[in-house]
Amino acid sequence: MESTNILIIDDSPVDRKIMRKVICNGISGVSIIENEDGKGILPLIRKNSIKLVILDSMLPGISGIQILEEIRSDFYFQDIPVIVCSGLDEEDVIKKTLSLGAFDFFEKPLSDRAVKFLMALKVRNGLELVRRAEEADFLRDHDPISQLNTRQYFEYNFKKYDRLDYYPLTFLMLDIDGLKIFNDAYGRSEGDRVIKAVGSFLIEHAKNLHICSRWGSDEFLLLLSDYPQQMCEELVGELKNYLDNVEDFHGINISFGLEVVEEASGSELLPIQKAEEHLYSNKIISSKSIRSQMLESIRQTLHEKNPREERHSKRVSEISEIIARELGFSEFEVKKISMAGLMHDIGKISVDESILNKPGNLHREEWEAIKKHPEMGYRILSASTDTVDIAKAVLTHHERYDGKGYPQSLSGEDIPLLGRLICVADSFDAMTGPRTYKAVFSMEKAVGEIVKNSGTQFDPTIVAAFIQAVDKGLISV
């Protein structure tokens, strides 16, 4: 465990020895740094990460007040607790040091009470104040999920690296592609696992790293020295490989953009803006394929949870495509309805596996969980403008023509056409396919149910197209 460093500034070796003994005997886990002349105090505090200072009020050639003023004027050390040692007749010194922000004081020569307990108690109180302040600073400056610095911390602190010895500086921005879809499919707690994993990897593997911050909900910004593009590409490649090997991180990908600054640019935020522009350029190029990979990964995971769903989704897709052709859909629309059929139950990824595979009837709470899958599927698919129509079909494939369906109780042509079509295909395959909770219907019985519910559960126009396809032998069990 790292020790807590305390600085004693006193010209008396005897007093320093007594104070060291009293403090070390009374408080565990502390180390004492000594100074006898009050010179070079700020570098000494910086070098040793001093947490508390005990300061003699009078030193050779310099007063304790001067040293206290020096500490209090420094931006980084102004809040360090300083306990002042003063003589019995130095009332003005005590008033002055306390007015300058000294934490506490005690008198010299040290009294029996000070040696027995008072000094150790005052030092312990000062260190507790430091601990609480550091805890508050950490909570303020760090993102609670990733444990990385916040965006505000980055914006406030990166300017300190605008010095010749830090250049060239690299601003590297990363983005977790598809995190919203991942959250919708697997839950926010799983998305938080991804964020934590990315943050931990970056802290452990990025060399010459000054600041690593969570810049947005799915974005990270790093400030590094002497980190050219090739090294950035290697780091991102290693991160991708790492995520690929983490269990349950389905389809996660990382995009990145960077800006290398050789010297001061004159605009503090310009390098960040450039890195962001490069990131979004890269995302535009790869976004469609990444979304497709993510959706396919979610679909495959659902089928692993419930293998019956894979056969059902393919069958609904095929039947929907046949009905669409009977209705005279264009090839583009046929492909769209085919995809909607494949994806219509993707929202079931959020339903517990035990419910999906339950052999008997579902309890009310279990049924309510199942009924949420159209909305969950909509959330997953509506993340992209490319799949908005498919998302609407998925959302509405359990609506009824008479308005008694779910989740929105839509009726008639207020239900999107693709949703009405999938409703027929889904119902037919649900009746004729293998099920754990009901007996399988024959072809004749299933077709009869579709016809019987035309105008109530199903759109009559779509039912007519379905019957045409059945009569032509295009749909069978």
Side-chain angles (χ1 to χ4, degrees), residues 268-406:
E268 294 171 344
L269 296 178
L270 184 60
I272 300 175
Q273 293 168 355
K274 290 286 188 182
E276 199 166 27
E277 288 172 7
H278 297 153
L279 167 67
Y280 287 122
S281 295
N282 291 334
K283 280 178 67 69
I284 289 170
I285 295 170
S286 60
S287 60
K288 285 189 179 182
S289 62
I290 289 168
R291 280 195 297 269
S292 297
Q293 291 170 18
M294 175 67 74
L295 293 175
E296 183 59 25
S297 175
I298 294 169
R299 199 167 68 89
Q300 288 177 1
T301 304
L302 171 61
H303 296 161
E304 289 169 7
K305 288 173 66 175
N306 188 321
R308 190 176 64 253
E309 283 293 336
E310 181 173 14
R311 177 224 166 264
H312 173 63
S313 294
K314 288 180 178 177
R315 183 72 174 138
V316 170
S317 176
E318 291 167 0
I319 296 170
S320 298
E321 189 173 330
I322 291 168
I323 297 172
R325 293 190 191 281
E326 288 296 313
L327 289 167
F329 280 25
S330 68
E331 278 304 307
F332 176 76
E333 291 296 322
V334 168
K335 288 181 180 178
K336 187 183 292 185
I337 193 65
S338 177
M339 179 59 68
L342 279 175
M343 296 289 183
H344 78 283
D345 276 343
I346 197 171
K348 287 182 179 177
I349 190 69
S350 65
V351 180
D352 191 89
E353 191 172 341
S354 63
I355 298 175
L356 291 177
N357 295 313
K358 186 174 181 179
N361 292 329
L362 298 177
H363 297 307
R364 184 177 62 83
E365 295 81 5
E366 294 169 330
W367 177 239
E368 289 301 319
I370 287 283
K371 287 174 66 176
K372 291 179 181 177
H373 79 271
E375 295 170 274
M376 185 57 67
Y378 175 79
R379 287 175 60 184
I380 293 169
L381 292 165
S382 63
S384 168
T385 55
D386 299 330
T387 52
V388 168
D389 289 340
I390 295 173
K392 290 178 181 177
V394 168
L395 176 65
T396 57
H397 76 278
H398 280 295
E399 300 288 356
R400 289 173 54 107
Y401 201 69
D402 59 8
K404 296 180 181 178
Y406 64 90

Side-chain angles (χ1 to χ4, degrees), residues 31-306:
S31 295
I32 305 299
I33 312 297
E34 297 183 16
N35 176 273
E36 63 181 3
D37 58 13
K39 295 179 181 178
I41 294 303
L42 293 184
L44 191 62
I45 291 174
R46 181 181 294 107
K47 178 183 178 181
N48 294 281
S49 301
I50 298 298
K51 302 299 183 184
L52 182 141
V53 175
I54 296 175
L55 174 63
D56 190 2
S57 62
M58 186 57 66
L59 297 161
I62 188 171
S63 72
I65 291 175
Q66 289 175 284
I67 296 173
L68 180 59
E69 286 176 331
E70 184 181 6
I71 294 172
R72 288 290 173 260
S73 65
D74 187 275
F75 178 81
Y76 294 102
F77 307 132
Q78 58 185 342
D79 294 324
I80 289 178
V82 177
I83 298 176
V84 175
C85 316
S86 66
L88 292 173
D89 58 348
E90 294 181 334
E91 186 174 315
D92 290 342
V93 172
I94 294 172
K95 288 180 180 179
K96 179 66 174 176
T97 53
L98 289 176
S99 68
L100 287 172
F103 173 72
D104 209 332
F105 73 95
F106 56 85
E107 297 173 331
K108 292 172 64 178
L110 298 174
S111 65
D112 290 342
R113 186 170 60 175
V115 172
K116 286 180 180 179
F117 65 89
L118 194 58
M119 177 185 291
L121 279 178
K122 291 186 176 188
V123 170
R124 185 180 290 112
N125 289 343
L127 293 177
E128 176 63 16
L129 181 70
V130 171
R131 186 192 68 78
R132 292 181 182 179
E134 288 179 343
E135 189 176 81
D137 287 345
F138 185 89
L139 293 174
R140 180 196 65 205
D141 294 337
H142 289 78
D143 169 63
I145 296 174
S146 66
Q147 298 298 298
L148 302 179
N149 292 125
T150 62
R151 177 172 181 155
Q152 290 76 16
Y153 179 90
F154 191 106
E155 290 176 333
Y156 188 76
N157 286 277
F158 83 92
K159 303 164 192 174
K160 73 172 72 170
Y161 299 99
D162 186 14
R163 292 186 357 216
L164 187 62
D165 51 328
Y166 287 117
Y167 282 100
L169 284 171
T170 297
F171 293 77
L172 174 61
M173 187 170 286
L174 308 175
D175 181 278
I176 305 174
D177 293 313
L179 184 62
K180 182 183 184 304
I181 297 176
F182 189 91
N183 282 337
D184 289 339
Y186 303 109
R188 193 163 293 278
S189 61
E190 287 299 296
D192 289 348
R193 280 185 61 219
V194 177
I195 292 169
K196 290 176 184 177
V198 171
S200 298
F201 182 92
L202 293 173
I203 289 294
E204 184 176 348
H205 291 85
K207 300 173 183 177
N208 303 331
L209 177 65
H210 302 307
I211 308 176
C212 184
S213 72
R214 188 177 176 197
W215 190 251
S217 61
D218 54 2
E219 294 173 340
F220 302 82
L221 182 59
L222 285 67
L223 180 65
L224 312 106
S225 282
D226 197 22
Y227 220 85
Q229 180 161 340
Q230 182 179 348
M231 290 180 66
C232 291
E233 291 173 353
E234 290 172 356
L235 176 66
V236 174
E238 291 169 5
L239 174 57
K240 289 179 180 180
N241 289 336
Y242 166 71
L243 295 174
D244 285 343
N245 290 313
V246 176
E247 187 178 1
D248 298 330
F249 283 5
H250 310 281
I252 289 295
N253 190 63
I254 302 293
S255 293
F256 73 98
L258 63 96
E259 179 72 5
V260 178
V261 183
E262 300 292 342
E263 57 185 17
S265 63
S267 173
E268 294 171 344
L269 296 178
L270 184 60
I272 300 175
Q273 293 168 355
K274 290 286 188 182
E276 199 166 27
E277 288 172 7
H278 297 153
L279 167 67
Y280 287 122
S281 295
N282 291 334
K283 280 178 67 69
I284 289 170
I285 295 170
S286 60
S287 60
K288 285 189 179 182
S289 62
I290 289 168
R291 280 195 297 269
S292 297
Q293 291 170 18
M294 175 67 74
L295 293 175
E296 183 59 25
S297 175
I298 294 169
R299 199 167 68 89
Q300 288 177 1
T301 304
L302 171 61
H303 296 161
E304 289 169 7
K305 288 173 66 175
N306 188 321

